[in-house]
Amino acid sequence: MSEQITAPQISSTQISSTQIAIEHVTLRSPKSFEAVRAALEASVPPLDHAYAKLLQDGQVDAARDLLERQAPLSIFGARDHGGLLLTAGLTRKAIQYDIGNPLTAARMTRHVLSAALYAPIRVLLREDAEGGVAFEYDRPATTFGQFGKHEVDSVAQELDAQLRTVLADAAG
């Protein structure tokens, strides 16, 4: 016998959903995990988060100047997902990166704030059980394309090209 459970209704809450098509990219490398990681981290520097303090202090122009002097793409953060897999008894190499540019994000989110869901871009560098190394990510043009705004789409296309270039260079 099955039991039907009815969730409480909250009159002021509205929920909607939309299905979107995402292009998932896998970029394989003939190099070792360590070599690809070193190449990526050498070409895409860590983001200088000092801009956030400047913004907090009301120094918008100084924050913008700092961001404009940074690389076109930066690593916002990285997480060792391979280390997390040790909790499941697996030994794998996998690092999840957040890669992007705050000014690029602002160029999109000024038109559609929901674009902040995908900025920065999440990129996985992983080694599979057979030792194959690859980058994986969801193509920005498809994730941001769901918003149907030309201003966002054109920035996402630029981001696509930048991301593919740095990842292909690191992998090659």
Side-chain angles (χ1 to χ4, degrees):
M1 179 171 177
S2 67
E3 182 180 1
Q4 183 177 8
I5 300 173
T6 305
Q9 295 293 319
I10 301 173
S11 62
S12 63
T13 301
Q14 295 180 1
I15 299 173
S16 64
S17 65
T18 305
Q19 287 189 350
I20 59 173
I22 301 296
E23 183 180 342
H24 185 78
V25 178
T26 302
L27 200 158
R28 299 187 193 289
S29 174
K31 299 189 318 190
S32 72
F33 180 90
E34 291 77 15
V36 175
R37 178 181 183 181
L40 176 67
E41 292 179 4
S43 66
V44 182
L47 177 65
D48 181 350
H49 291 278
Y51 80 92
K53 176 73 169 128
L54 291 169
L55 288 174
Q56 185 180 14
D57 293 343
Q59 299 179 48
V60 175
D61 291 337
R64 187 180 311 107
D65 290 344
L66 174 62
L67 289 170
E68 287 173 347
R69 289 191 308 271
Q70 293 194 39
L73 291 177
S74 295
I75 296 173
F76 281 59
R79 288 166 296 288
D80 179 1
H81 196 80
L84 179 61
L85 290 174
L86 290 172
T87 63
L90 299 173
T91 303
R92 292 274 167 49
K93 295 175 185 175
I95 299 178
Q96 185 184 74
Y97 293 96
D98 292 326
I99 297 177
N101 180 303
L103 293 176
T104 301
R107 287 175 55 206
M108 291 186 282
T109 58
R110 72 174 45 157
H111 300 288
V112 180
L113 189 54
S114 296
L117 284 167
Y118 305 101
I121 305 301
R122 187 171 286 177
V123 175
L124 178 67
L125 171 61
R126 54 115 175 121
E127 183 178 72
D128 61 31
E130 293 76 36
V133 175
F135 284 114
E136 293 189 54
Y137 64 96
D138 292 336
R139 190 168 165 242
T142 60
T143 55
F144 293 110
Q146 69 180 292
F147 302 113
K149 282 283 208 183
H150 171 73
E151 299 87 352
V152 174
D153 292 345
S154 63
V155 176
Q157 293 290 341
E158 293 171 24
L159 187 54
D160 259 1
Q162 289 176 324
L163 188 61
R164 186 174 296 251
T165 297
V166 299
L167 296 180
D169 287 350

